[in-house]
PDB file of all heavy atoms in Angstrom:
ATOM      1  N   ARG A  60     320.917  37.908 194.244  1.00  0.00           N
ATOM      2  CA  ARG A  60     320.778  36.720 193.379  1.00  0.00           C
ATOM      3  C   ARG A  60     320.886  37.232 191.953  1.00  0.00           C
ATOM      4  O   ARG A  60     320.031  37.995 191.504  1.00  0.00           O
ATOM      5  CB  ARG A  60     319.432  36.043 193.596  1.00  0.00           C
ATOM      6  CG  ARG A  60     319.228  35.610 195.038  1.00  0.00           C
ATOM      7  CD  ARG A  60     317.948  34.829 195.163  1.00  0.00           C
ATOM      8  NE  ARG A  60     318.035  33.598 194.367  1.00  0.00           N
ATOM      9  CZ  ARG A  60     317.164  32.604 194.449  1.00  0.00           C
ATOM     10  NH1 ARG A  60     316.158  32.692 195.284  1.00  0.00           N
ATOM     11  NH2 ARG A  60     317.285  31.538 193.694  1.00  0.00           N
ATOM     12  N   ILE A  61     321.939  36.800 191.293  1.00  0.00           N
ATOM     13  CA  ILE A  61     322.236  37.369 189.973  1.00  0.00           C
ATOM     14  C   ILE A  61     321.692  36.484 188.856  1.00  0.00           C
ATOM     15  O   ILE A  61     321.882  35.268 188.867  1.00  0.00           O
ATOM     16  CB  ILE A  61     323.760  37.550 189.799  1.00  0.00           C
ATOM     17  CG1 ILE A  61     324.269  38.541 190.853  1.00  0.00           C
ATOM     18  CG2 ILE A  61     324.115  38.021 188.385  1.00  0.00           C
ATOM     19  CD1 ILE A  61     325.755  38.694 190.915  1.00  0.00           C
ATOM     20  N   VAL A  62     321.022  37.102 187.917  1.00  0.00           N
ATOM     21  CA  VAL A  62     320.530  36.403 186.728  1.00  0.00           C
ATOM     22  C   VAL A  62     321.239  37.037 185.529  1.00  0.00           C
ATOM     23  O   VAL A  62     321.071  38.228 185.275  1.00  0.00           O
ATOM     24  CB  VAL A  62     319.007  36.611 186.567  1.00  0.00           C
ATOM     25  CG1 VAL A  62     318.492  35.828 185.375  1.00  0.00           C
ATOM     26  CG2 VAL A  62     318.258  36.256 187.836  1.00  0.00           C
ATOM     27  N   GLU A  63     322.052  36.248 184.845  1.00  0.00           N
ATOM     28  CA  GLU A  63     322.696  36.776 183.629  1.00  0.00           C
ATOM     29  C   GLU A  63     321.616  36.858 182.550  1.00  0.00           C
ATOM     30  O   GLU A  63     320.971  35.849 182.243  1.00  0.00           O
ATOM     31  CB  GLU A  63     323.815  35.841 183.151  1.00  0.00           C
ATOM     32  CG  GLU A  63     324.944  35.630 184.148  1.00  0.00           C
ATOM     33  CD  GLU A  63     325.833  36.852 184.321  1.00  0.00           C
ATOM     34  OE1 GLU A  63     325.799  37.758 183.456  1.00  0.00           O
ATOM     35  OE2 GLU A  63     326.542  36.909 185.351  1.00  0.00           O
ATOM     36  N   THR A  64     321.430  38.034 181.969  1.00  0.00           N
ATOM     37  CA  THR A  64     320.316  38.170 181.020  1.00  0.00           C
ATOM     38  C   THR A  64     320.545  37.341 179.742  1.00  0.00           C
ATOM     39  O   THR A  64     319.590  37.026 179.043  1.00  0.00           O
ATOM     40  CB  THR A  64     320.062  39.644 180.649  1.00  0.00           C
ATOM     41  OG1 THR A  64     321.265  40.212 180.157  1.00  0.00           O
ATOM     42  CG2 THR A  64     319.568  40.425 181.840  1.00  0.00           C
ATOM     43  N   ALA A  65     321.817  36.956 179.498  1.00  0.00           N
ATOM     44  CA  ALA A  65     322.111  36.136 178.310  1.00  0.00           C
ATOM     45  C   ALA A  65     321.345  34.810 178.358  1.00  0.00           C
ATOM     46  O   ALA A  65     321.083  34.206 177.316  1.00  0.00           O
ATOM     47  CB  ALA A  65     323.608  35.876 178.221  1.00  0.00           C
ATOM     48  N   PHE A  66     321.000  34.346 179.580  1.00  0.00           N
ATOM     49  CA  PHE A  66     320.310  33.059 179.698  1.00  0.00           C
ATOM     50  C   PHE A  66     318.790  33.184 179.623  1.00  0.00           C
ATOM     51  O   PHE A  66     318.086  32.188 179.561  1.00  0.00           O
ATOM     52  CB  PHE A  66     320.688  32.379 181.031  1.00  0.00           C
ATOM     53  CG  PHE A  66     322.145  32.053 181.121  1.00  0.00           C
ATOM     54  CD1 PHE A  66     322.918  32.534 182.168  1.00  0.00           C
ATOM     55  CD2 PHE A  66     322.761  31.279 180.145  1.00  0.00           C
ATOM     56  CE1 PHE A  66     324.277  32.246 182.242  1.00  0.00           C
ATOM     57  CE2 PHE A  66     324.111  30.984 180.202  1.00  0.00           C
ATOM     58  CZ  PHE A  66     324.878  31.467 181.251  1.00  0.00           C
ATOM     59  N   ILE A  67     318.294  34.418 179.694  1.00  0.00           N
ATOM     60  CA  ILE A  67     316.832  34.602 179.706  1.00  0.00           C
ATOM     61  C   ILE A  67     316.315  34.558 178.277  1.00  0.00           C
ATOM     62  O   ILE A  67     316.812  35.303 177.423  1.00  0.00           O
ATOM     63  CB  ILE A  67     316.445  35.954 180.354  1.00  0.00           C
ATOM     64  CG1 ILE A  67     317.024  36.049 181.773  1.00  0.00           C
ATOM     65  CG2 ILE A  67     314.932  36.136 180.376  1.00  0.00           C
ATOM     66  CD1 ILE A  67     316.850  37.412 182.430  1.00  0.00           C
ATOM     67  N   PRO A  68     315.340  33.686 177.972  1.00  0.00           N
ATOM     68  CA  PRO A  68     314.868  33.603 176.587  1.00  0.00           C
ATOM     69  C   PRO A  68     314.390  34.956 176.068  1.00  0.00           C
ATOM     70  O   PRO A  68     313.694  35.673 176.791  1.00  0.00           O
ATOM     71  CB  PRO A  68     313.703  32.607 176.657  1.00  0.00           C
ATOM     72  CG  PRO A  68     313.572  32.158 178.050  1.00  0.00           C
ATOM     73  CD  PRO A  68     314.641  32.785 178.890  1.00  0.00           C
ATOM     74  N   HIS A  69     314.821  35.273 174.857  1.00  0.00           N
ATOM     75  CA  HIS A  69     314.404  36.473 174.106  1.00  0.00           C
ATOM     76  C   HIS A  69     314.959  37.792 174.652  1.00  0.00           C
ATOM     77  O   HIS A  69     314.695  38.847 174.092  1.00  0.00           O
ATOM     78  CB  HIS A  69     312.869  36.591 174.031  1.00  0.00           C
ATOM     79  CG  HIS A  69     312.180  35.309 173.698  1.00  0.00           C
ATOM     80  ND1 HIS A  69     312.312  34.706 172.471  1.00  0.00           N
ATOM     81  CD2 HIS A  69     311.372  34.498 174.446  1.00  0.00           C
ATOM     82  CE1 HIS A  69     311.611  33.585 172.466  1.00  0.00           C
ATOM     83  NE2 HIS A  69     311.048  33.440 173.650  1.00  0.00           N
ATOM     84  N   TRP A  70     315.689  37.770 175.766  1.00  0.00           N
ATOM     85  CA  TRP A  70     316.172  39.034 176.360  1.00  0.00           C
ATOM     86  C   TRP A  70     317.233  39.643 175.438  1.00  0.00           C
ATOM     87  O   TRP A  70     318.175  38.957 175.056  1.00  0.00           O
ATOM     88  CB  TRP A  70     316.765  38.774 177.752  1.00  0.00           C
ATOM     89  CG  TRP A  70     316.947  40.023 178.544  1.00  0.00           C
ATOM     90  CD1 TRP A  70     317.947  40.937 178.391  1.00  0.00           C
ATOM     91  CD2 TRP A  70     316.113  40.519 179.602  1.00  0.00           C
ATOM     92  NE1 TRP A  70     317.784  41.969 179.290  1.00  0.00           N
ATOM     93  CE2 TRP A  70     316.659  41.736 180.045  1.00  0.00           C
ATOM     94  CE3 TRP A  70     314.952  40.048 180.218  1.00  0.00           C
ATOM     95  CZ2 TRP A  70     316.105  42.495 181.061  1.00  0.00           C
ATOM     96  CZ3 TRP A  70     314.398  40.806 181.238  1.00  0.00           C
ATOM     97  CH2 TRP A  70     314.979  42.012 181.652  1.00  0.00           C
ATOM     98  N   PRO A  71     317.112  40.919 175.068  1.00  0.00           N
ATOM     99  CA  PRO A  71     318.097  41.514 174.168  1.00  0.00           C
ATOM    100  C   PRO A  71     319.414  41.838 174.897  1.00  0.00           C
ATOM    101  O   PRO A  71     319.389  42.215 176.066  1.00  0.00           O
ATOM    102  CB  PRO A  71     317.408  42.809 173.719  1.00  0.00           C
ATOM    103  CG  PRO A  71     316.467  43.148 174.826  1.00  0.00           C
ATOM    104  CD  PRO A  71     316.065  41.857 175.489  1.00  0.00           C
ATOM    105  N   THR A  72     320.510  41.673 174.194  1.00  0.00           N
ATOM    106  CA  THR A  72     321.827  41.865 174.814  1.00  0.00           C
ATOM    107  C   THR A  72     322.461  43.155 174.330  1.00  0.00           C
ATOM    108  O   THR A  72     322.525  43.400 173.123  1.00  0.00           O
ATOM    109  CB  THR A  72     322.757  40.698 174.400  1.00  0.00           C
ATOM    110  OG1 THR A  72     322.033  39.500 174.612  1.00  0.00           O
ATOM    111  CG2 THR A  72     324.027  40.672 175.214  1.00  0.00           C
ATOM    112  N   SER A  73     322.971  43.948 175.265  1.00  0.00           N
ATOM    113  CA  SER A  73     323.579  45.226 174.889  1.00  0.00           C
ATOM    114  C   SER A  73     324.968  45.031 174.303  1.00  0.00           C
ATOM    115  O   SER A  73     325.719  44.163 174.723  1.00  0.00           O
ATOM    116  CB  SER A  73     323.685  46.137 176.106  1.00  0.00           C
ATOM    117  OG  SER A  73     324.360  47.313 175.734  1.00  0.00           O
ATOM    118  N   THR A  74     325.293  45.884 173.343  1.00  0.00           N
ATOM    119  CA  THR A  74     326.620  45.842 172.721  1.00  0.00           C
ATOM    120  C   THR A  74     327.488  47.000 173.211  1.00  0.00           C
ATOM    121  O   THR A  74     328.587  47.205 172.731  1.00  0.00           O
ATOM    122  CB  THR A  74     326.465  45.967 171.187  1.00  0.00           C
ATOM    123  OG1 THR A  74     325.788  47.213 170.905  1.00  0.00           O
ATOM    124  CG2 THR A  74     325.664  44.835 170.600  1.00  0.00           C
TER     125      THR A  74
END
Side-chain angles (χ1 to χ4, degrees):
R60 301 186 63 168
I61 298 173
V62 183
E63 299 289 343
T64 55
F66 297 124
I67 304 173
H69 315 293
W70 195 283
T72 312
S73 176
T74 59

